[in-house]
Amino acid sequence: MLRALELAGRGPAHGPNPRVGCVLLDRRGTALGEGWHAGAGSPHAEVAALEAARRAGADVRGATAVVTLEPCNHTGRTGPCTEALLAAGVTTVVHAVDDPDPDAAGGADRLREAGVDVVGGLRRGEGEELLRVWLHAVRSGRPWVTLKLAATLDGRVAAADGTSRWITSAASRRHAHAHRALVDAIAVGTGTALADDPALTVRPEEGEPPAHQPLRVVVGRRDVPEGARLREPGGALVQARSHDVGEVLAVLAERRVRHLLVEGGPTLAAAFLRAGAVDELHAYVAPVLLGAGPTAVADLGIASIGGASRWRTVETVRLDDDVLVVARPSGPRAGTTTSSTTSSPSTEET
């Protein structure tokens, strides 16, 4: 199963489909074939593993399939994995995570009905972590939201005169661009869009830009100017003309966005936090002091320390002199959806 999880990680983190890995074993525990899902329209992990075994001349009758996600039981752009496993003569299936997608679920029951021995829940914790973005989107009906902040030690995102380039290091900016390549959409408020004229594209230091460019989402009612960089080549531009976080997320869910990266500015960050809609926080902290200037997050309506929004650190990364803190909510999420997502001070990451 650990190998299947490793294989699953080779699939794209972005897109509507889950990352899945599969290993086929004979009765002695020898690997016959392995595979992973490479993205929408490509063979599912189970089918890829069966094809690999066939290419190797292996007999998969009586084999065990070890899969990170319960085999699907529906026909989409590819056929049901359950039927492929049954046709191949696989007699045992072990999976880590039950499939919560109502359109694809039921694979375990279908296999059991056909006489296959099915065991679920092996390494469930690791499987849930690998699939956390996709699982959250399917279970909740809204995208997983990562909020990115880039600030000084005293929490400023710009100096008093509005200048902000560059607070964080080149290493932090490279890391942020690499993370953009993993998401389905990037959001900024209209204030940031108008003040900074960001491109919101994935731009490697060397080589051609990747084929995948996230949707570029502007939240607010004001128009994006015709000559804006957001209208240049890159991901499609989506104008979410609402001040309601729930409405914005619903629009993106309809477009099958599983992972939304919120990048700016302070007002939009506060709106998502007040709505309790942030699932993970990426805070790039630079050893810089300004003493004045806009803060990374606008007013959250918290009056006392007892009402502070508490988070738990899940990872820290050293980026030259900067530090990235990755955190997730440690308790109940604050607030209800706010209607204050309009103009915001400019931010340094574009």
Side-chain angles (χ1 to χ4, degrees), residues 13-15 146 148 165-166 172-188 192 196-204 210 212-216 229-230 259-264 282 284 347-350:
H14 56 80
T146 298
K148 191 199 80 174
R165 300 183 185 177
W166 296 104
S172 289
R173 297 193 296 275
R174 285 194 298 270
H175 188 280
H177 267 278
H179 187 256
R180 281 182 177 180
L182 305 179
V183 306
D184 300 309
I186 306 171
V188 296
T192 294
D196 286 0
D197 191 23
L200 298 185
T201 54
V202 180
R203 303 188 299 275
H212 167 68
Q213 289 288 342
L215 297 179
R216 295 177 287 186
R229 294 172 70 200
L230 286 169
H259 192 174
L260 172 65
L261 175 63
V262 177
E263 287 209 353
H282 286 200
Y284 295 85
T347 56
E348 68 147 10
E349 303 291 351
T350 60

Side-chain angles (χ1 to χ4, degrees), residues 11-295:
H14 56 80
N17 293 344
R19 292 193 286 178
V20 183
C22 176
V23 178
L24 295 171
L25 304 174
D26 65 15
R27 290 183 175 90
R28 296 171 297 176
T30 303
L32 301 173
E34 57 185 35
W36 64 93
H37 183 47
S42 65
H44 287 191
E46 298 93 324
V47 173
L50 289 169
E51 291 176 350
R54 290 179 185 128
R55 288 195 300 270
D59 184 358
V60 299
R61 289 175 296 178
T64 294
V66 181
V67 195
T68 55
L69 182 67
E70 177 187 0
C72 69
N73 191 42
H74 79 123
T75 300
R77 295 171 71 174
T78 59
C81 292
T82 51
E83 301 309 313
L85 294 170
L86 291 172
V90 170
T91 56
T92 303
V93 172
V94 179
H95 66 271
V97 179
D98 294 341
D99 193 335
D101 186 344
D103 293 330
D109 290 340
R110 169 71 181 105
L111 292 167
R112 289 191 182 100
E113 289 169 359
V116 174
D117 184 19
V118 180
V119 179
L122 181 65
R123 298 274 180 183
R124 180 183 286 116
E126 291 97 322
E128 291 262 351
E129 176 63 21
L130 175 72
L131 290 168
R132 67 188 182 279
V133 168
W134 181 82
L135 288 171
H136 169 85
V138 172
R139 289 167 176 167
S140 70
R142 72 158 177 84
W144 173 279
V145 175
T146 298
L147 171 62
K148 191 199 80 174
L149 306 174
T152 63
L153 282 175
D154 52 349
R156 309 291 175 174
V157 294
D161 64 357
T163 57
S164 61
R165 300 183 185 177
W166 296 104
I167 288 174
T168 58
S169 67
S172 289
R173 297 193 296 275
R174 285 194 298 270
H175 188 280
H177 267 278
H179 187 256
R180 281 182 177 180
L182 305 179
V183 306
D184 300 309
I186 306 171
V188 296
T190 52
T192 294
L194 295 172
D196 286 0
D197 191 23
L200 298 185
T201 54
V202 180
R203 303 188 299 275
E205 285 190 316
E206 299 179 357
E208 295 295 320
H212 167 68
Q213 289 288 342
L215 297 179
R216 295 177 287 186
V217 182
V218 178
V219 179
R221 298 195 178 99
R222 286 177 288 177
D223 290 332
V224 175
E226 286 301 321
R229 294 172 70 200
L230 286 169
R231 297 189 181 277
E232 295 177 356
L237 174 61
V238 177
Q239 292 193 253
R241 298 181 184 275
S242 175
H243 291 164
D244 186 293
V245 170
E247 290 180 1
V248 172
L249 293 175
V251 167
L252 297 178
E254 288 179 0
R255 298 184 69 121
R256 302 194 75 189
V257 169
R258 305 297 198 197
H259 192 174
L260 172 65
L261 175 63
V262 177
E263 287 209 353
T267 304
L268 188 64
F272 272 81
L273 288 166
R274 288 172 67 104
V278 176
D279 303 293
E280 189 165 87
L281 180 66
H282 286 200
Y284 295 85
V285 182
V288 176
L289 295 171
L290 286 173
T295 57

